[in-house]
Coordinates of all heavy atoms in Angstrom, one line a residue:
M1 N 95.1 100.8 -115.9 CA 93.7 101.3 -116.2 C 93.8 102.1 -117.4 O 94.2 103.3 -117.4 CB 93.2 102.1 -115.0 CG 92.8 101.3 -113.8 SD 91.3 100.4 -114.1 CE 90.1 101.7 -113.9
E2 N 93.2 101.6 -118.5 CA 93.4 102.3 -119.8 C 92.7 103.6 -119.9 O 93.1 104.5 -120.6 CB 92.8 101.3 -120.9 CG 93.7 100.2 -121.3 CD 93.0 99.2 -122.2 OE1 92.0 99.6 -122.8 OE2 93.5 98.1 -122.3
S3 N 91.6 103.8 -119.2 CA 90.8 105.0 -119.3 C 91.2 106.0 -118.3 O 90.6 107.1 -118.2 CB 89.3 104.7 -119.2 OG 89.1 104.1 -117.9
C4 N 92.1 105.8 -117.4 CA 92.4 106.7 -116.3 C 93.4 107.8 -116.8 O 94.5 107.6 -117.2 CB 93.0 105.9 -115.2 SG 93.6 106.9 -113.8
L5 N 92.9 109.0 -116.6 CA 93.6 110.2 -116.9 C 95.0 110.2 -116.3 O 96.0 110.5 -117.0 CB 92.8 111.5 -116.5 CG 93.5 112.8 -116.8 CD1 93.6 113.1 -118.2 CD2 92.6 113.9 -116.1
F6 N 95.1 110.0 -115.0 CA 96.4 110.1 -114.3 C 97.3 108.9 -114.7 O 98.5 109.2 -114.8 CB 96.2 110.1 -112.8 CG 95.7 111.5 -112.3 CD1 95.5 111.7 -110.9 CD2 95.5 112.5 -113.1 CE1 95.1 112.9 -110.5 CE2 95.0 113.8 -112.7 CZ 94.8 114.0 -111.3
C7 N 96.8 107.8 -115.0 CA 97.6 106.7 -115.5 C 98.2 107.1 -116.9 O 99.4 106.8 -117.1 CB 96.8 105.4 -115.7 SG 96.6 104.5 -114.2
K8 N 97.5 107.8 -117.7 CA 98.0 108.2 -119.0 C 99.1 109.3 -118.8 O 100.1 109.3 -119.5 CB 96.9 108.8 -119.8 CG 95.9 107.7 -120.4 CD 94.8 108.3 -121.2 CE 94.0 107.2 -121.8 NZ 92.7 107.6 -122.3
I9 N 99.0 110.2 -117.8 CA 100.0 111.2 -117.6 C 101.3 110.4 -117.0 O 102.4 110.7 -117.5 CB 99.5 112.2 -116.6 CG1 98.5 113.1 -117.2 CG2 100.7 113.1 -116.1 CD1 97.8 114.1 -116.3
I10 N 101.1 109.5 -116.1 CA 102.2 108.7 -115.6 C 102.9 107.9 -116.7 O 104.2 107.9 -116.7 CB 101.6 107.7 -114.5 CG1 101.1 108.4 -113.3 CG2 102.7 106.6 -114.2 CD1 100.2 107.6 -112.4
N11 N 102.2 107.4 -117.6 CA 102.8 106.6 -118.7 C 103.2 107.5 -119.9 O 103.6 107.0 -121.0 CB 101.8 105.5 -119.2 CG 101.5 104.5 -118.1 OD1 102.4 104.2 -117.4 ND2 100.3 104.0 -118.0
K12 N 103.1 108.8 -119.7 CA 103.5 109.8 -120.8 C 102.7 109.7 -122.1 O 103.2 110.0 -123.1 CB 105.0 109.7 -121.1 CG 105.9 109.4 -119.9 CD 106.3 110.7 -119.2 CE 107.2 110.6 -118.0 NZ 107.6 109.5 -117.2
E13 N 101.5 109.1 -121.9 CA 100.6 109.1 -123.1 C 99.8 110.4 -123.2 O 99.3 110.6 -124.3 CB 99.6 107.9 -122.9 CG 100.3 106.5 -123.0 CD 99.4 105.4 -122.4 OE1 98.1 105.7 -122.2 OE2 99.9 104.3 -122.1
L14 N 99.8 111.1 -122.2 CA 99.2 112.5 -122.2 C 100.2 113.4 -121.6 O 101.0 113.0 -120.7 CB 97.9 112.6 -121.4 CG 96.6 112.0 -122.0 CD1 95.5 112.1 -121.0 CD2 96.3 112.8 -123.3
P15 N 100.2 114.7 -122.0 CA 101.2 115.6 -121.4 C 100.9 116.0 -120.0 O 99.7 116.0 -119.6 CB 101.1 116.9 -122.3 CG 99.7 116.8 -123.0 CD 99.4 115.3 -123.1
G16 N 101.9 116.1 -119.2 CA 101.8 116.5 -117.8 C 103.1 117.3 -117.5 O 104.1 116.9 -117.9
D17 N 102.9 118.3 -116.7 CA 104.1 119.1 -116.3 C 104.7 118.4 -115.1 O 104.5 118.8 -113.9 CB 103.6 120.5 -116.0 CG 104.8 121.5 -116.1 OD1 106.0 121.1 -116.1 OD2 104.5 122.7 -116.2
I18 N 105.5 117.4 -115.4 CA 106.1 116.5 -114.3 C 107.2 117.3 -113.6 O 108.2 117.7 -114.3 CB 106.5 115.2 -114.9 CG1 105.3 114.4 -115.3 CG2 107.3 114.4 -113.8 CD1 105.5 113.1 -116.0
V19 N 107.1 117.3 -112.3 CA 108.2 118.1 -111.5 C 109.0 117.1 -110.7 O 110.0 117.5 -110.1 CB 107.5 119.2 -110.6 CG1 106.8 120.2 -111.4 CG2 106.6 118.6 -109.6
F20 N 108.6 115.9 -110.5 CA 109.3 114.9 -109.7 C 108.9 113.5 -110.1 O 107.7 113.3 -110.4 CB 109.0 115.1 -108.2 CG 109.7 114.1 -107.3 CD1 110.9 114.4 -106.7 CD2 109.0 112.9 -106.9 CE1 111.5 113.5 -105.9 CE2 109.6 112.0 -106.1 CZ 110.9 112.3 -105.6
E21 N 109.8 112.6 -110.1 CA 109.5 111.2 -110.4 C 110.5 110.3 -109.7 O 111.7 110.6 -109.7 CB 109.5 110.9 -111.9 CG 109.1 109.5 -112.3 CD 108.8 109.3 -113.8 OE1 109.0 110.3 -114.6 OE2 108.4 108.2 -114.1
D22 N 110.0 109.2 -109.1 CA 110.9 108.1 -108.6 C 110.3 106.8 -109.0 O 109.4 106.8 -109.9 CB 111.3 108.3 -107.1 CG 110.1 108.0 -106.2 OD1 109.1 107.5 -106.7 OD2 110.2 108.4 -105.0
G23 N 110.8 105.7 -108.4 CA 110.3 104.4 -108.9 C 108.9 104.2 -108.6 O 108.2 103.4 -109.3
N24 N 108.3 104.8 -107.6 CA 106.9 104.5 -107.2 C 105.9 105.7 -107.4 O 104.7 105.4 -107.4 CB 106.9 104.2 -105.7 CG 107.8 103.1 -105.4 OD1 107.8 102.0 -106.0 ND2 108.7 103.2 -104.4
V25 N 106.4 106.9 -107.7 CA 105.6 108.1 -107.6 C 105.9 109.0 -108.7 O 107.1 109.1 -109.2 CB 105.9 108.8 -106.2 CG1 105.4 110.2 -106.2 CG2 105.4 108.0 -105.0
V26 N 104.9 109.7 -109.2 CA 105.0 110.8 -110.2 C 104.3 112.0 -109.6 O 103.3 111.9 -108.9 CB 104.4 110.5 -111.5 CG1 104.5 111.7 -112.5 CG2 105.2 109.3 -112.2
A27 N 104.9 113.2 -109.7 CA 104.3 114.5 -109.3 C 104.3 115.4 -110.5 O 105.3 115.6 -111.2 CB 105.1 115.1 -108.1
F28 N 103.1 116.1 -110.7 CA 103.0 117.0 -111.8 C 102.1 118.2 -111.3 O 101.3 118.1 -110.4 CB 102.4 116.3 -113.0 CG 101.2 115.5 -112.8 CD1 99.9 116.0 -112.8 CD2 101.3 114.1 -112.5 CE1 98.8 115.2 -112.6 CE2 100.2 113.3 -112.2 CZ 98.9 113.9 -112.3
K29 N 102.2 119.3 -112.1 CA 101.5 120.5 -111.7 C 100.0 120.3 -112.0 O 99.6 119.8 -113.0 CB 102.0 121.7 -112.5 CG 103.4 122.1 -112.1 CD 103.9 123.4 -112.8 CE 105.3 123.7 -112.4 NZ 105.8 124.8 -113.2
D30 N 99.2 120.8 -111.0 CA 97.7 120.8 -111.2 C 97.4 121.7 -112.4 O 97.9 122.9 -112.4 CB 97.0 121.2 -110.0 CG 95.5 120.8 -110.0 OD1 94.7 121.4 -110.8 OD2 95.1 119.9 -109.2
I31 N 96.5 121.3 -113.3 CA 96.1 122.1 -114.4 C 95.3 123.4 -114.0 O 95.3 124.4 -114.8 CB 95.3 121.2 -115.5 CG1 95.5 121.8 -116.8 CG2 93.9 121.0 -115.1 CD1 95.1 120.8 -117.9
H32 N 94.6 123.3 -112.9 CA 93.9 124.5 -112.4 C 94.4 124.8 -111.0 O 93.7 124.4 -110.0 CB 92.4 124.1 -112.3 CG 91.7 123.9 -113.7 ND1 91.8 124.8 -114.7 CD2 91.1 122.8 -114.1 CE1 91.2 124.2 -115.8 NE2 90.7 123.1 -115.5
P33 N 95.5 125.4 -110.9 CA 96.2 125.6 -109.6 C 95.3 126.5 -108.6 O 94.7 127.5 -109.0 CB 97.5 126.3 -109.9 CG 97.3 126.9 -111.3 CD 96.3 126.0 -112.0
K34 N 95.2 126.0 -107.4 CA 94.5 126.7 -106.3 C 95.4 127.3 -105.3 O 95.0 127.8 -104.2 CB 93.5 125.7 -105.7 CG 92.4 125.3 -106.6 CD 91.7 124.1 -106.2 CE 90.8 123.5 -107.4 NZ 91.7 122.8 -108.4
A35 N 96.7 127.4 -105.6 CA 97.7 128.1 -104.8 C 98.9 128.4 -105.7 O 98.9 127.9 -106.9 CB 98.2 127.2 -103.7
A36 N 99.8 129.2 -105.3 CA 100.9 129.6 -106.1 C 101.7 128.4 -106.6 O 102.1 128.3 -107.7 CB 101.9 130.5 -105.3
V37 N 101.8 127.4 -105.7 CA 102.3 126.1 -106.1 C 101.3 125.1 -105.8 O 100.7 125.0 -104.7 CB 103.6 125.8 -105.3 CG1 104.1 124.3 -105.6 CG2 104.7 126.8 -105.5
H38 N 100.9 124.3 -106.8 CA 99.8 123.3 -106.7 C 100.3 122.1 -107.5 O 100.2 122.0 -108.7 CB 98.5 123.8 -107.1 CG 97.3 122.8 -106.8 ND1 96.0 123.2 -107.0 CD2 97.3 121.6 -106.2 CE1 95.3 122.2 -106.6 NE2 96.0 121.2 -106.1
I39 N 100.7 121.1 -106.7 CA 101.3 119.8 -107.4 C 100.5 118.7 -106.9 O 100.0 118.6 -105.7 CB 102.8 119.7 -106.9 CG1 103.6 120.8 -107.6 CG2 103.3 118.3 -107.3 CD1 105.0 121.0 -107.0
L40 N 100.2 117.7 -107.8 CA 99.5 116.5 -107.5 C 100.6 115.4 -107.5 O 101.4 115.2 -108.4 CB 98.5 116.2 -108.6 CG 97.4 117.2 -108.8 CD1 96.6 116.9 -110.0 CD2 96.5 117.3 -107.6
I41 N 100.6 114.7 -106.4 CA 101.6 113.6 -106.2 C 100.8 112.3 -106.2 O 99.9 112.1 -105.4 CB 102.3 113.8 -104.8 CG1 103.0 115.2 -104.8 CG2 103.4 112.7 -104.7 CD1 103.7 115.5 -103.5
V42 N 101.2 111.4 -107.1 CA 100.4 110.2 -107.4 C 101.2 108.9 -107.4 O 102.4 109.0 -107.8 CB 99.6 110.3 -108.7 CG1 98.8 111.6 -108.8 CG2 100.5 110.2 -109.9
P43 N 100.7 107.8 -106.9 CA 101.4 106.6 -107.0 C 101.4 106.1 -108.5 O 100.3 106.3 -109.1 CB 100.7 105.6 -106.1 CG 99.3 106.2 -106.0 CD 99.4 107.7 -106.2
K44 N 102.4 105.4 -108.9 CA 102.4 104.9 -110.3 C 101.4 103.7 -110.4 O 100.8 103.5 -111.4 CB 103.8 104.4 -110.7 CG 104.8 105.5 -110.9 CD 106.1 105.0 -111.4 CE 107.0 106.2 -111.8 NZ 108.3 105.8 -112.2
E45 N 101.2 103.1 -109.3 CA 100.2 102.0 -109.2 C 98.8 102.6 -109.2 O 98.5 103.6 -108.5 CB 100.4 101.1 -108.0 CG 99.5 100.0 -107.8 CD 99.7 99.2 -106.5 OE1 100.6 99.5 -105.8 OE2 98.8 98.4 -106.2
H46 N 97.9 102.1 -110.0 CA 96.5 102.6 -110.0 C 95.7 102.1 -108.8 O 95.4 100.9 -108.7 CB 95.7 102.2 -111.3 CG 94.3 102.7 -111.3 ND1 94.0 104.0 -111.8 CD2 93.2 102.3 -110.8 CE1 92.7 104.2 -111.7 NE2 92.2 103.2 -111.0
I47 N 95.5 103.0 -107.8 CA 94.7 102.8 -106.6 C 93.7 103.9 -106.6 O 94.0 105.0 -106.9 CB 95.6 102.8 -105.4 CG1 96.6 101.6 -105.4 CG2 94.8 102.8 -104.1 CD1 97.6 101.7 -104.3
E48 N 92.5 103.5 -106.4 CA 91.4 104.6 -106.6 C 91.4 105.7 -105.5 O 91.3 106.9 -105.9 CB 90.0 103.9 -106.6 CG 89.7 103.2 -107.9 CD 88.3 102.9 -108.1 OE1 87.4 103.3 -107.2 OE2 88.0 102.3 -109.1
S49 N 91.5 105.3 -104.3 CA 91.4 106.4 -103.3 C 92.1 105.9 -102.0 O 92.5 104.8 -101.8 CB 90.0 106.8 -103.0 OG 89.4 106.2 -101.9
I50 N 92.2 106.9 -101.0 CA 92.7 106.5 -99.7 C 91.9 105.4 -99.1 O 92.4 104.6 -98.3 CB 92.6 107.8 -98.8 CG1 93.8 108.7 -99.1 CG2 92.6 107.4 -97.4 CD1 95.0 108.4 -98.3
S51 N 90.6 105.4 -99.4 CA 89.7 104.3 -98.8 C 90.0 102.9 -99.4 O 89.5 102.0 -98.9 CB 88.3 104.7 -99.1 OG 88.0 105.9 -98.4
S52 N 90.7 102.8 -100.5 CA 90.9 101.5 -101.2 C 91.9 100.7 -100.3 O 92.7 101.2 -99.6 CB 91.6 101.7 -102.6 OG 90.8 102.6 -103.4
E53 N 91.6 99.4 -100.5 CA 92.5 98.4 -99.9 C 94.0 98.6 -100.3 O 94.2 99.0 -101.5 CB 92.1 97.0 -100.4 CG 92.3 95.9 -99.4 CD 91.7 94.6 -99.9 OE1 90.6 94.6 -100.4 OE2 92.4 93.6 -99.9
N54 N 94.9 98.5 -99.5 CA 96.4 98.6 -99.8 C 96.8 100.1 -100.0 O 98.0 100.3 -100.3 CB 96.8 97.8 -101.0 CG 96.5 96.3 -100.8 OD1 96.7 95.9 -99.6 ND2 96.2 95.6 -101.8
S55 N 96.0 101.1 -99.9 CA 96.4 102.5 -100.1 C 97.6 102.8 -99.1 O 98.5 103.6 -99.4 CB 95.3 103.5 -99.9 OG 94.8 103.5 -98.6
E56 N 97.5 102.2 -97.9 CA 98.5 102.5 -96.9 C 99.9 102.1 -97.4 O 100.9 102.7 -96.9 CB 98.2 101.8 -95.6 CG 98.2 100.3 -95.6 CD 96.8 99.8 -95.9 OE1 96.0 100.5 -96.5 OE2 96.5 98.6 -95.6
N57 N 100.0 101.2 -98.4 CA 101.3 100.8 -98.9 C 102.0 101.9 -99.7 O 103.2 101.9 -99.9 CB 101.2 99.5 -99.7 CG 100.7 98.4 -99.0 OD1 100.9 98.3 -97.7 ND2 100.2 97.4 -99.6
V58 N 101.3 102.9 -100.2 CA 101.8 103.9 -101.1 C 101.9 105.3 -100.4 O 102.6 106.2 -100.9 CB 101.1 103.9 -102.4 CG1 101.1 102.6 -103.1 CG2 99.7 104.4 -102.3
I59 N 101.1 105.5 -99.4 CA 101.0 106.8 -98.8 C 102.3 107.4 -98.3 O 102.7 108.6 -98.5 CB 99.9 106.8 -97.7 CG1 98.6 106.6 -98.3 CG2 99.9 108.2 -96.9 CD1 97.5 106.2 -97.2
G60 N 103.2 106.5 -97.7 CA 104.5 107.0 -97.2 C 105.3 107.5 -98.4 O 106.0 108.5 -98.2
G61 N 105.2 106.8 -99.5 CA 106.0 107.3 -100.7 C 105.5 108.6 -101.2 O 106.3 109.5 -101.7
L62 N 104.2 108.9 -101.1 CA 103.7 110.2 -101.5 C 104.2 111.3 -100.6 O 104.6 112.4 -101.1 CB 102.2 110.2 -101.5 CG 101.4 109.1 -102.3 CD1 99.9 109.3 -102.2 CD2 101.8 109.1 -103.8
I63 N 104.2 111.0 -99.3 CA 104.7 112.0 -98.3 C 106.2 112.3 -98.5 O 106.7 113.4 -98.4 CB 104.3 111.6 -96.9 CG1 102.8 111.7 -96.8 CG2 104.9 112.5 -95.9 CD1 102.2 111.2 -95.5
L64 N 106.9 111.2 -98.7 CA 108.4 111.4 -99.0 C 108.6 112.2 -100.2 O 109.5 113.1 -100.2 CB 109.0 110.0 -99.1 CG 110.5 110.0 -99.4 CD1 111.3 110.6 -98.2 CD2 111.0 108.5 -99.6
A65 N 107.9 112.0 -101.3 CA 108.0 112.8 -102.5 C 107.7 114.3 -102.2 O 108.4 115.2 -102.6 CB 107.1 112.3 -103.6
A66 N 106.7 114.5 -101.4 CA 106.3 115.9 -101.0 C 107.5 116.5 -100.2 O 107.9 117.7 -100.5 CB 105.1 116.0 -100.1
K67 N 108.1 115.8 -99.3 CA 109.2 116.3 -98.5 C 110.4 116.7 -99.4 O 111.0 117.7 -99.3 CB 109.7 115.2 -97.5 CG 109.0 115.1 -96.2 CD 109.5 114.0 -95.3 CE 110.9 114.3 -94.8 NZ 111.4 113.3 -93.8
N68 N 110.6 115.8 -100.4 CA 111.7 116.1 -101.3 C 111.5 117.3 -102.2 O 112.4 118.1 -102.4 CB 112.0 114.8 -102.2 CG 112.6 113.7 -101.5 OD1 113.3 113.9 -100.5 ND2 112.3 112.5 -101.9
I69 N 110.3 117.5 -102.6 CA 109.9 118.6 -103.5 C 110.0 119.9 -102.7 O 110.6 120.9 -103.1 CB 108.5 118.5 -104.1 CG1 108.5 117.3 -105.1 CG2 108.1 119.7 -104.8 CD1 107.1 116.8 -105.5
I70 N 109.5 119.9 -101.4 CA 109.5 121.1 -100.6 C 110.9 121.5 -100.3 O 111.3 122.7 -100.4 CB 108.7 120.8 -99.3 CG1 107.2 120.7 -99.5 CG2 109.0 121.9 -98.2 CD1 106.4 120.1 -98.4
K71 N 111.8 120.5 -100.0 CA 113.2 120.8 -99.7 C 113.9 121.3 -101.0 O 114.6 122.3 -101.0 CB 113.9 119.6 -99.2 CG 115.3 119.8 -98.6 CD 115.8 118.6 -97.9 CE 117.2 118.9 -97.5 NZ 117.9 117.7 -97.0
R72 N 113.7 120.6 -102.1 CA 114.4 120.9 -103.3 C 114.1 122.4 -103.8 O 114.9 123.1 -104.2 CB 114.0 119.9 -104.4 CG 114.7 120.1 -105.7 CD 114.0 119.3 -106.8 NE 112.7 119.8 -107.1 CZ 111.8 119.2 -107.9 NH1 112.1 118.0 -108.4 NH2 110.6 119.7 -108.1
D73 N 112.8 122.7 -103.7 CA 112.3 124.0 -104.2 C 112.2 125.1 -103.2 O 111.8 126.2 -103.5 CB 110.9 123.8 -104.9 CG 110.9 122.8 -106.0 OD1 112.0 122.5 -106.5 OD2 109.8 122.4 -106.5
N74 N 112.6 124.7 -102.0 CA 112.5 125.7 -100.8 C 111.1 126.3 -100.8 O 110.9 127.5 -100.6 CB 113.6 126.8 -101.0 CG 113.8 127.6 -99.7 OD1 113.5 127.1 -98.6 ND2 114.2 128.8 -99.9
A75 N 110.1 125.4 -100.9 CA 108.7 125.8 -100.9 C 108.3 126.2 -99.5 O 108.8 125.6 -98.5 CB 107.8 124.7 -101.4
R76 N 107.4 127.1 -99.4 CA 107.0 127.7 -98.1 C 105.5 127.7 -97.9 O 104.8 127.9 -98.9 CB 107.6 129.1 -97.9 CG 109.1 129.0 -97.7 CD 109.7 130.4 -97.8 NE 111.1 130.3 -97.8 CZ 111.9 130.1 -96.8 NH1 111.4 130.0 -95.6 NH2 113.2 130.1 -97.0
G77 N 105.0 127.6 -96.7 CA 103.6 127.7 -96.4 C 102.8 126.6 -97.1 O 101.8 126.9 -97.8
C78 N 103.2 125.4 -96.9 CA 102.6 124.3 -97.6 C 101.5 123.5 -96.8 O 101.5 123.5 -95.6 CB 103.7 123.2 -98.0 SG 105.0 123.9 -99.1
K79 N 100.6 122.9 -97.6 CA 99.6 122.0 -97.0 C 99.6 120.8 -97.9 O 99.8 120.8 -99.1 CB 98.2 122.7 -97.1 CG 98.1 124.0 -96.3 CD 96.7 124.5 -96.5 CE 96.5 126.0 -96.2 NZ 97.0 126.3 -94.8
L80 N 99.2 119.7 -97.2 CA 99.0 118.4 -97.9 C 97.5 118.0 -97.8 O 97.0 118.2 -96.7 CB 99.9 117.3 -97.4 CG 101.4 117.5 -97.6 CD1 102.2 116.4 -96.9 CD2 101.7 117.4 -99.1
L81 N 96.9 117.6 -98.9 CA 95.5 117.4 -98.8 C 95.1 116.1 -99.6 O 95.5 116.0 -100.8 CB 94.7 118.6 -99.4 CG 93.2 118.5 -99.6 CD1 92.5 118.7 -98.3 CD2 92.7 119.5 -100.6
F82 N 94.2 115.3 -99.1 CA 93.6 114.2 -99.8 C 92.1 114.5 -99.9 O 91.5 114.7 -98.8 CB 93.8 112.9 -99.1 CG 95.1 112.3 -99.1 CD1 96.0 112.5 -98.0 CD2 95.6 111.6 -100.2 CE1 97.3 111.9 -98.0 CE2 96.9 111.0 -100.2 CZ 97.7 111.2 -99.1
N83 N 91.5 114.5 -101.0 CA 90.0 114.5 -101.1 C 89.7 113.0 -101.3 O 90.3 112.3 -102.1 CB 89.6 115.3 -102.4 CG 89.8 116.8 -102.2 OD1 89.7 117.3 -101.1 ND2 90.1 117.4 -103.3
I84 N 88.7 112.6 -100.5 CA 88.4 111.2 -100.4 C 86.9 110.9 -100.9 O 86.0 111.3 -100.1 CB 88.6 110.6 -99.0 CG1 90.1 110.9 -98.6 CG2 88.3 109.1 -99.0 CD1 90.3 110.6 -97.1
G85 N 86.7 110.4 -102.0 CA 85.4 110.0 -102.5 C 84.7 111.3 -103.0 O 85.1 112.4 -102.8
R86 N 83.6 111.1 -103.8 CA 82.8 112.2 -104.4 C 82.4 113.2 -103.3 O 82.5 114.4 -103.5 CB 81.6 111.7 -105.1 CG 81.9 110.9 -106.4 CD 82.3 111.8 -107.5 NE 82.7 111.0 -108.6 CZ 83.9 110.4 -108.7 NH1 84.9 110.6 -107.9 NH2 84.2 109.6 -109.7
D87 N 81.9 112.7 -102.2 CA 81.4 113.6 -101.1 C 82.5 114.4 -100.5 O 82.3 115.5 -100.0 CB 80.7 112.8 -100.0 CG 79.4 112.2 -100.5 OD1 78.9 112.6 -101.6 OD2 78.9 111.3 -99.8
G88 N 83.8 113.9 -100.7 CA 84.9 114.7 -100.2 C 85.6 115.5 -101.2 O 86.7 116.1 -101.0
G89 N 85.0 115.6 -102.4 CA 85.5 116.4 -103.5 C 86.5 115.8 -104.4 O 87.1 116.4 -105.3
Q90 N 86.6 114.4 -104.3 CA 87.5 113.7 -105.3 C 86.8 113.5 -106.6 O 85.7 112.9 -106.6 CB 87.9 112.3 -104.7 CG 88.8 111.6 -105.6 CD 89.3 110.2 -104.9 OE1 88.9 109.9 -103.8 NE2 90.1 109.5 -105.7
V91 N 87.4 114.0 -107.7 CA 86.8 113.9 -109.0 C 87.6 112.9 -109.9 O 87.1 112.4 -110.9 CB 86.6 115.2 -109.7 CG1 85.6 116.1 -108.9 CG2 87.9 115.9 -109.9
I92 N 88.9 112.7 -109.6 CA 89.7 111.8 -110.4 C 89.9 110.5 -109.5 O 90.5 110.6 -108.4 CB 91.1 112.4 -110.7 CG1 90.9 113.8 -111.4 CG2 91.9 111.4 -111.5 CD1 90.7 113.8 -112.8
D93 N 89.6 109.4 -110.0 CA 89.6 108.1 -109.2 C 90.9 107.4 -109.4 O 91.0 106.2 -109.6 CB 88.4 107.2 -109.6 CG 87.1 107.8 -109.2 OD1 87.1 108.5 -108.1 OD2 86.1 107.6 -109.8
H94 N 92.0 108.2 -109.2 CA 93.4 107.6 -109.1 C 93.9 108.4 -107.9 O 94.1 109.6 -108.0 CB 94.2 107.9 -110.4 CG 95.6 107.3 -110.3 ND1 96.1 106.4 -111.3 CD2 96.6 107.4 -109.4 CE1 97.3 106.1 -111.0 NE2 97.7 106.7 -109.9
L95 N 94.2 107.7 -106.8 CA 94.7 108.3 -105.6 C 95.7 109.4 -105.9 O 96.7 109.2 -106.6 CB 95.3 107.2 -104.7 CG 96.0 107.6 -103.4 CD1 95.1 108.3 -102.5 CD2 96.6 106.3 -102.8
H96 N 95.5 110.5 -105.2 CA 96.5 111.6 -105.4 C 96.5 112.5 -104.2 O 95.4 112.7 -103.5 CB 96.2 112.5 -106.6 CG 94.7 112.9 -106.7 ND1 93.7 112.1 -107.2 CD2 94.1 114.1 -106.4 CE1 92.6 112.8 -107.1 NE2 92.8 114.0 -106.6
M97 N 97.6 113.1 -103.9 CA 97.8 114.0 -102.7 C 98.1 115.3 -103.3 O 99.0 115.5 -104.2 CB 98.9 113.5 -101.8 CG 99.1 114.3 -100.6 SD 100.4 113.6 -99.5 CE 101.8 114.0 -100.5
H98 N 97.3 116.4 -102.9 CA 97.6 117.7 -103.3 C 98.7 118.3 -102.4 O 98.6 118.3 -101.2 CB 96.3 118.6 -103.1 CG 95.2 118.2 -104.0 ND1 94.8 118.8 -105.1 CD2 94.3 117.1 -103.8 CE1 93.7 118.2 -105.6 NE2 93.4 117.2 -104.9
L99 N 99.7 118.9 -103.0 CA 100.7 119.7 -102.3 C 100.5 121.2 -102.7 O 100.6 121.5 -103.9 CB 102.1 119.3 -102.7 CG 103.3 120.2 -102.2 CD1 103.3 120.3 -100.7 CD2 104.6 119.7 -102.8
L100 N 100.0 122.0 -101.8 CA 99.7 123.4 -102.0 C 100.6 124.3 -101.2 O 100.7 124.1 -100.0 CB 98.2 123.7 -101.6 CG 97.2 122.8 -102.3 CD1 96.1 122.3 -101.4 CD2 96.5 123.7 -103.4
C101 N 101.3 125.2 -101.8 CA 102.2 126.1 -101.1 C 102.0 127.5 -101.6 O 101.7 127.8 -102.7 CB 103.7 125.7 -101.5 SG 104.1 123.9 -101.1
Q102 N 102.4 128.4 -100.6 CA 102.2 129.8 -100.9 C 103.3 130.3 -101.8 O 103.2 131.3 -102.5 CB 102.2 130.6 -99.6 CG 101.0 130.4 -98.8 CD 101.1 131.0 -97.4 OE1 101.9 131.8 -97.1 NE2 100.2 130.6 -96.5
S103 N 104.5 129.6 -101.8 CA 105.6 130.0 -102.7 C 106.5 128.8 -102.9 O 106.4 127.9 -102.2 CB 106.3 131.2 -102.2 OG 107.0 130.9 -101.0
Ligands
5GP201 P1 90.4 116.0 -106.8 O1 89.3 116.9 -106.8 O2 90.0 114.7 -107.5 O3 91.1 115.7 -105.5 O4 91.6 116.6 -107.7 C1 91.7 116.5 -109.0 C2 92.7 117.6 -109.5 O5 93.1 117.2 -110.8 C3 92.0 118.9 -109.6 O6 92.7 119.8 -108.8 C4 92.1 119.3 -111.1 O7 92.4 120.6 -111.3 C5 93.2 118.4 -111.6 N1 93.2 118.0 -113.0 C6 92.1 117.6 -113.6 N2 92.4 117.2 -114.9 C7 93.7 117.4 -115.0 C8 94.6 117.2 -116.1 O8 94.3 116.8 -117.2 N3 96.0 117.5 -115.9 C9 96.4 118.0 -114.6 N4 97.7 118.3 -114.5 N5 95.5 118.2 -113.6 C10 94.2 117.9 -113.8
ZN202 ZN1 95.1 105.5 -112.8

């Protein structure tokens, strides 16, 4: 998706503070953090939202990435969040999971 902000960060066409990457997933710091630690975990494949067909194929990889980051950074007091659709507060149409931690 040429016009997608998160695809551009994934492809390193735009700067992103990337904290984790594997074959399927990229994680980078949210530009407007709403917690001490606020990371967005995204599939490399462009899928619009949790409601999209096939989203279930990538969700496990997002959660595994979150587990790895939490363990690696000894993060504490964490929450995982998906905003789904405009009414649910989703403003970027590339599926992403928020990892929010108190430290
Ligand atoms: P949503 O509301 O769609 O679930 O979350 C989108 C998130 O992307 C927001 O928390 C917002 O702060 C973040 N965001 C928007 N633009 C950028 C950007 O250019 N870079 C980064 N790293 N985060 C962004
Ligand atoms: Zn995209």
